[in-house]
Amino acid sequence: MVRRAVNIAAIVVSCLALVASLGWLWLEGRWSAWSPPQGEPAAIGYNAFTKGAFGLEAFPLKYAVVAGRVSSAAFTTTLEDGRSLWETFGFLPNSKAVTLKEPFCEGNADKWLPYGFAVTNYVPATAVQTSLKFAGLTCASCHSGQLRQANGKLSEPISGMGNMDLDVIAFTDAVRNAVMDPDLTADKILNEYAKVCPSDSAGLIDGFVEKFMLDGWLSGIREAMGGDSRKYGLPYHGIQMKQADDIPAGPGRTRPFRSIVRVAMNLPGDENYAYSKIPAVFEQNQDLRPRAQYDGSLGDPVTRSFIAAYASGSSIKALSKPEVVHNIRKAAAYTEDLGIGIPVKTFATHFPDHAPAAADVEHGLTVYKKHCADCHGHRPISADPAKVEPWVAEGKYLHKLEGVGPLAPPNGGLGVDAERVTFRYAHDLPLAIWTTLPGNPKITAVQEKRLDKAIIDAQDAGAPALAYFWQKQKEQFLLTKRQYRLGHPLYFPACPEGDATCTPESLLDRAPPCALDFKAYPQTCEITDFEAFVNNPIPYAFLRAPYLHNGSVPTMAQLINLEKRQPQFCRGQNVYDPENLGYKAPNPVDGKCTNPREAFLFDTKVRGNGNFGHNYPAWDPEKLTDRQRADLQALLAYLKTI
Amino acid sequence: MADLNTQPPPPYQREQLAISLLAFALLFAFATFFGLTQPDITFFRTHAFAWSSALLVTPALYIFVRRHGIAPLTHWWRLFWTFAWVMIAVHLIWGLGLEHDWQPLSVFERQGFWIAFPIFLLQAVWLIDIAMTWTRYDWAWPTGGYKVWQGFMWLFVLANFFVAMVIFRNDTESLVIGLMQTAVVVAAFLMRWNEREQSL
C-alpha cells in the first residue's frame, strides 16, 4: 500500500517537474522571441540608438516607478532644487511627462521614462529574458543632448551630441547604493508599486515569475556588488555624488578606462585619471573617420560601439544576444550616417538670431584653412544655412596621430592633457580587449598565440606577476572560447567572410600589440595604445562643447585663443552660449559653485583636467592685435557653420 | 539450444518506472532552473544535460555488466538506458541548436572530425539500439548477433562518456561524474568476476 503510494507520488512529482521545466522553457522561448524590425533604415537606426537595449539594464521598471519612494536616501543628492530624480542626474526629460495625468506606471513608461531609456526583459548580466521588465540605458542616454537657452527653454533632443548634463558615474553610485540597501526587498518594491499603480496587476503566473525574478535580481546584484566592492569600493552618497573631490568625472564625462580595466582585466581601476567627455558621434563613416576614440585606438565602427557598451558595463553574454547585436550594429550604422544622410540641425537653425554673417564666414574659412584644416579637414560653406556641405577629408595631418607625453615632438606639439592615454595598464589593455571576445576557430588560434606570447614577453621583461596575469587571462579566454563556439557575434571583423588573403599571419599583424609605430599611416592595428590623439574631422563643432577630450574648455572662443581659458568653472546644466559657441560656465565664487544646478567645480589644475595645449593659433588671448582678433572672430563665425 | 520464446519476460514493477523517471525529471528540472543562477544559462544547461545523461546511464552500465550473458537484463536497465539517451538527445539539441546555431558542420569545424563524428554517430546508433530494446521480444535475453550488438553498444556508450568526461575533463563536474562512472563499472566487473569464481 505505502509502496504503491510512494511510487505513484514519485511519478506525479516527476510529471510535475517535467511540466514545470518544459513550461518554463516554453515561456523563455516566448519571452525571448525576437525578429529584426522592418522599416526605414534611418528609423531602425534611430530606434536602435535611442531605444535599443544593449545589456545595460539598470533596474526593474517597477522599481524605477517607486525608486524615489523606497530608495529616496540613495538617490538624494540634496541638490535637487525641485528637479526629478532623473533630471538631477542629468537624464533628458521625457517631453510627454509634463502633461501626463495618470500615475507613472509600467504600462505608460514610454511617456515618463527619461529620453534614451530602453525597456527590455533582459535580466542584467546573464541576459536571461523573463516577464520582468527592466529599464536600461541606450546609446542615446549618453550620446544625445539638448541645448539650454538662457530662458531655460530646451531644444529637442539632438542625437549624436554628448549629454553634457549627465552625471553617469554619480547615477551609478546612487543605483549601487540603492540596491545594496539591506531594507530593500522584492515585497517592498511590489507593495509600493501596487500603491502607486493600483489598477496595474500582473497575472498569476507573470506575478509569480516577477516576484521570483525580482528577488533573484536583488540578491544577485547585491552579491555581485558586494563581491565587486574590492574592485569598486563603496559608492558615494548624498552631496558627495555631486562633488568633484569624490566623483571627479562630473557631468558630461565618464571614466571609460577605469571601467574597462576593471571589466576586461579584472584589476582595480583606481589610479586612473582618464576623464573622457562623452563625445559627439556624428559622421562616424570610416572614410571620414578611419579611426575613432580620442586616441584613434579603434578602427571598425561596430567595435567602437561594442567597446562603448562593454565599457559601460554590459556583459559579453548580453552582447551576444541577437537583439542586442542587432541594436549595436544598427546604432553603429546610424552614427556612421548621422549628419551625412541623416540630417542634423545646424547652428543657424537652432539660433537664427545668432547666425553669422556670410562675409565673416568666408573670411573665417581662410583663417581656418591656414590654422586648422591640415589636421581637421574642412567643410565648404553651404549656401543654405539650414544645410551643410559634405566634409572634405583632406589635410596634411588629417587622420594621423599627434604624440603627447613621451611621444610629443620637441616643440611640445599638440600638448593637451595626457592622462587619457597614459593611465596604468594602458599598454596591456588592447590585448585584454582583443581577447575578450573569442573569434571563429581560425581566429581563436591566433588569439591564443598572442596570449602565449604575452606570457613569455612578460617573463622576458622580468615581470613574472604580469606573466601570471596573462596566464589567468588565457584561462578566462579558453572558457569563453568554449562558451562561444562559433565565435562571439561582435568579434572584431578580423577576417571578412571569403577573404582569402586573410591568414593567421595577417591576423597576427593586426593583433595588438602591433609592430607599427604611431607615425605609420594608415594604422592597420585593430586596437592601438599610443600616447597620442588623433586628428579627425570636427563636424557640428558647436555641439562638441565643452571642448577637448576632457571637456576642459567651455567655449570655442577660448579654444581658439580669442578669450582666455578659465582655470576653474562650474558645470552642470549650463546654459548654451551661442555667441562664444559653447557653455556659459560661471566662475566659482570663493572656490565654490553655489548654484545647485551647476554644482560641479571643474578645476583645470586637478590631475586629468588640464586645459593646456591645442594652442592653435598660438596667439596670446590677452595680447591680440586687432588683425588677430578680427581673424579669430571670423574663424569663430565659420566654426558656427560646420 | 533453448527456445528463446520460452524465456519469461523480466518482471516489471512500478517502482522501476517511478524511480528512473524521477531521476530523469529532477535532473532535467535542475538543469533548467539552476541554470537561471548561472552566468551563462545555455552553456550551463548544455553541460548539465550531459552530466545528467552520464548519471542516468551509470546504473544501466552497471546492470549490464552484472547480467549480460548470465541473467536477463532488467527493466531497470532498459529504463535508465532509455532516459540516458533522451537526456543526451536534449544535450545535443542544446549544444547543436543553441550553441552551434543548428549548423552541424560547425561542430566538425570547431571540434575536429574525431570528436564531432562520434557525437553524432553515438546519437544515431544508440537510438537504433533503444528502438530495438523496446520492440524486440528478446531484448532482455539476447543471443547471437543481437547479443554481440548489445555488448558493442555498451562499450561504445561507455567509451564516449569516458573520453568526454575523464579524458577531456572540461570541468570538475565532468571529471567527478566520469570517475564515479568508471568506478561503478570497474566495481561491476569485480563483482561479476567474484560471482563467477564462487559459482565455479
Side-chain angles (χ1 to χ4, degrees):
Chain A
M1 220 7 234
V2 174
R3 198 175 176 134
R4 194 188 143 109
V6 170
N7 282 338
I8 291 180
I11 292 179
V12 170
V13 169
S14 308
C15 292
L16 286 178
L18 285 177
V19 168
S21 309
L22 292 172
W24 178 268
L25 292 172
W26 178 79
L27 282 172
E28 265 185 19
R30 220 182 51 164
W31 289 323
S32 61
W34 176 82
S35 54
Q38 307 293 317
E40 281 283 309
I44 291 179
Y46 174 81
N47 281 336
F49 190 80
T50 45
K51 297 176 196 152
F54 59 85
L56 271 192
E57 280 58 42
F59 35 57
L61 195 47
K62 288 199 167 157
Y63 177 63
V65 170
V66 297
R69 293 159 164 254
V70 296
S71 302
S72 71
F75 286 98
T76 304
T77 62
T78 70
L79 298 177
E80 279 64 25
D81 192 26
R83 290 174 295 180
S84 75
L85 179 164
W86 309 105
E87 257 185 285
T88 307
F89 288 98
F91 290 102
L92 307 188
N94 187 320
S95 58
K96 301 192 186 102
V98 203
T99 51
L100 191 64
K101 300 254 158 32
E102 310 96 72
F104 297 178
C105 295
E106 200 172 64
N108 58 7
D110 59 320
K111 300 208 177 74
W112 59 267
L113 260 188
Y115 185 85
F117 264 85
V119 174
T120 82
N121 64 353
Y122 289 96
V123 176
T126 61
V128 177
Q129 287 164 284
T130 73
S131 57
L132 183 63
K133 291 208 175 60
F134 282 82
L137 301 193
T138 67
C139 312
S141 340
C142 286
H143 292 295
S144 292
Q146 282 176 309
L147 298 176
R148 183 175 283 102
Q149 311 226 359
N151 61 10
K153 244 184 88 186
L154 284 173
S155 72
E156 299 265 282
I158 301 166
S159 290
M161 167 190 174
N163 180 349
M164 287 304 119
D165 293 357
L166 181 63
D167 255 325
V168 71
I169 295 189
F171 180 69
T172 313
D173 269 21
V175 173
R176 289 171 63 210
N177 237 319
V179 299
M180 283 169 87
D181 177 354
D183 288 343
L184 187 69
T185 60
D187 280 331
K188 189 165 170 185
I189 295 170
L190 291 174
N191 291 343
E192 198 63 34
Y193 184 81
K195 273 188 228 158
V196 180
C197 306
S199 58
D200 193 6
S201 80
L204 188 66
I205 293 188
D206 281 355
F208 174 77
V209 170
E210 252 179 38
K211 163 104 171 48
F212 176 74
M213 292 312 299
L214 202 53
D215 262 330
W217 168 73
L218 257 180
S219 61
I221 198 161
R222 253 179 222 153
E223 200 175 307
M225 284 181 176
D228 282 350
S229 297
R230 261 167 289 152
K231 240 184 326 176
Y232 291 77
L234 290 177
Y236 289 101
H237 67 274
I239 184 112
Q240 294 174 328
M241 291 191 280
K242 291 283 184 182
Q243 280 172 346
D245 287 344
D246 296 314
I247 301 192
R253 301 198 303 177
T254 72
R255 301 173 72 178
F257 296 91
R258 186 178 66 152
S259 340
I260 206 153
V261 161
R262 288 164 170 170
V263 295
M265 305 180 76
N266 208 20
L267 291 169
D270 292 345
E271 293 301 302
N272 187 310
Y273 302 91
Y275 304 125
S276 290
K277 173 181 74 177
I278 300 170
V281 290
F282 304 112
E283 307 193 358
Q284 290 283 321
N285 178 319
Q286 278 202 285
D287 295 339
L288 295 174
R289 232 176 174 72
R291 301 193 68 89
Q293 306 297 96
Y294 293 113
D295 58 351
S297 52
L298 298 177
D300 182 70
V302 174
T303 302
R304 297 172 199 172
S305 308
F306 156 73
I307 304 255
Y310 181 56
S312 329
S314 1
S315 68
I316 70 168
K317 183 74 209 173
L319 289 165
S320 74
K321 295 274 164 173
E323 181 182 359
V324 174
V325 172
H326 165 95
N327 287 338
I328 299 263
R329 289 190 198 282
K330 295 297 171 192
Y334 178 75
T335 63
E336 284 178 71
D337 202 28
L338 186 59
I340 305 175
I342 303 164
V344 170
K345 270 196 197 172
T346 60
F347 175 83
T349 323
H350 281 286
F351 301 101
D353 300 347
H354 294 272
D360 287 346
V361 174
E362 220 153 290
H363 172 191
L365 176 57
T366 58
V367 181
Y368 179 91
K369 282 203 164 148
K370 182 153 175 229
H371 296 284
C372 322
D374 279 349
C375 288
H376 291 298
H378 75 282
R379 193 166 327 259
I381 298 167
S382 160
D384 177 355
K387 294 212 173 88
V388 292
E389 292 290 317
W391 196 272
V392 178
E394 282 165 20
K396 242 189 299 182
Y397 308 117
L398 183 71
H399 298 156
K400 301 200 174 135
L401 293 169
E402 296 291 325
V404 290
L407 294 186
N411 71 357
L414 181 67
V416 297
D417 194 301
E419 294 291 345
R420 162 66 182 76
V421 290
T422 53
F423 56 90
R424 177 129 205 232
Y425 309 123
H427 302 301
D428 298 310
L429 196 51
L431 180 59
I433 296 177
W434 193 72
T435 49
T436 292
L437 303 182
N440 63 31
K442 199 162 160 190
I443 296 167
T444 49
V446 182
Q447 291 177 300
E448 260 180 80
K449 249 191 228 162
R450 263 293 191 258
L451 286 167
D452 287 335
K453 182 168 179 297
I455 298 171
I456 296 169
D457 286 353
Q459 287 289 18
D460 290 350
L466 186 60
Y468 175 79
F469 166 81
W470 285 118
Q471 225 164 31
K472 290 279 147 208
Q473 291 289 110
K474 188 176 167 199
E475 279 167 27
Q476 180 60 40
F477 174 76
L478 293 178
L479 176 66
T480 31
K481 178 181 132 185
R482 289 176 50 217
Q483 290 171 341
Y484 300 94
R485 309 180 79 85
L486 302 179
H488 191 286
L490 287 179
Y491 180 71
F492 316 149
C495 257
E497 284 290 328
D499 177 356
T501 62
C502 186
T503 62
E505 294 72 45
S506 74
L507 279 176
L508 268 178
D509 280 348
R510 288 186 299 199
C514 297
L516 293 179
D517 93 338
F518 86 106
K519 292 211 174 88
Y521 184 80
Q523 285 288 341
T524 49
C525 193
E526 297 203 357
I527 310 179
T528 57
D529 58 351
F530 299 124
E531 292 171 351
F533 289 85
V534 64
N535 295 331
N536 260 338
I538 43 169
Y540 306 98
F542 75 104
L543 297 175
R544 293 173 178 267
Y547 297 97
L548 297 185
H549 69 276
N550 56 3
S552 57
V553 184
T555 68
M556 188 69 90
Q558 293 175 13
L559 185 73
I560 59 175
N561 289 333
L562 178 58
E563 283 185 3
K564 202 169 162 296
R565 295 183 188 177
Q566 289 166 266
Q568 288 188 324
F569 50 92
C570 297
R571 280 281 289 115
Q573 298 184 324
N574 301 74
V575 166
Y576 197 81
D577 177 356
E579 209 48 56
N580 293 309
L581 212 55
Y583 288 103
K584 285 202 169 87
N587 291 320
V589 179
D590 295 334
K592 288 207 174 66
C593 294
T594 45
N595 179 347
R597 296 184 178 223
E598 291 169 347
F600 181 84
L601 174 63
F602 195 118
D603 184 348
T604 60
K605 294 281 173 302
V606 165
R607 189 167 171 188
N609 281 355
N611 63 351
F612 36 82
H614 196 280
N615 192 18
Y616 309 116
W619 298 339
D620 183 343
E622 287 175 319
K623 294 183 194 134
L624 292 177
T625 63
D626 290 347
R627 175 84 199 278
Q628 287 173 331
R629 186 178 308 278
D631 277 357
L632 291 180
Q633 269 156 353
L635 175 62
L636 187 62
Y638 168 73
L639 289 167
K640 291 178 182 174
T641 68
I642 62 171
Chain B
M1 186 162 175
D3 181 356
L4 282 169
N5 288 322
T6 63
Q7 296 288 342
Y12 166 75
Q13 288 145 3
R14 191 186 278 127
E15 72 191 20
Q16 294 172 323
L17 176 67
I19 290 179
S20 56
L21 178 66
L22 188 66
F24 175 84
L26 291 183
L27 288 167
F28 193 90
F30 170 77
T32 305
F33 291 110
F34 194 71
L36 292 173
T37 67
Q38 298 297 303
D40 190 329
I41 186 170
T42 335
F43 185 71
F44 176 83
R45 284 184 184 154
T46 308
H47 283 74
F49 289 136
W51 304 329
S52 302
S53 177
L55 289 172
L56 290 168
V57 84
T58 305
L61 293 172
Y62 172 84
I63 295 169
F64 191 88
V65 173
R66 296 296 310 277
R67 303 184 80 96
H68 188 60
I70 42 181
L73 292 171
T74 57
H75 286 282
W76 285 116
W77 172 79
R78 186 162 71 163
L79 285 163
F80 274 109
W81 192 242
T82 305
F83 280 128
W85 178 84
V86 177
M87 199 60 106
I88 208 69
V90 175
H91 164 73
L92 190 81
I93 292 172
W94 250 255
L96 182 62
L98 297 154
E99 307 263 0
H100 280 269
D101 253 354
W102 295 115
Q103 300 169 26
L105 283 184
S106 72
V107 183
F108 284 84
E109 191 186 342
R110 176 75 174 50
Q111 311 268 60
F113 180 84
W114 287 112
I115 297 177
F117 178 65
I119 296 178
F120 292 104
L121 184 67
L122 172 75
Q123 200 68 36
V125 202
W126 195 356
L127 176 60
I128 295 173
D129 180 57
I130 286 184
M132 290 202 276
T133 64
W134 287 95
T135 51
R136 286 182 70 123
Y137 63 91
D138 59 347
W139 65 270
W141 251 128
T143 52
Y146 184 36
K147 183 175 167 188
V148 176
W149 162 269
Q150 277 196 341
F152 160 77
M153 272 316 297
W154 175 89
L155 190 66
F156 187 48
V157 169
L158 177 70
N160 261 285
F161 276 104
F162 186 77
V163 170
M165 322 267 305
V166 180
I167 310 269
F168 291 156
R169 52 169 184 282
N170 277 327
D171 37 57
T172 327
E173 293 89 336
S174 299
L175 182 62
V176 169
I177 296 173
L179 288 177
M180 255 162 45
Q181 187 175 74
T182 314
V184 168
V185 170
V186 170
F189 270 112
L190 289 176
M191 286 155 92
R192 182 175 170 136
W193 179 68
N194 188 31
E195 262 162 33
R196 163 108 61 81
E197 294 279 281
Q198 283 177 0
S199 66
L200 279 180

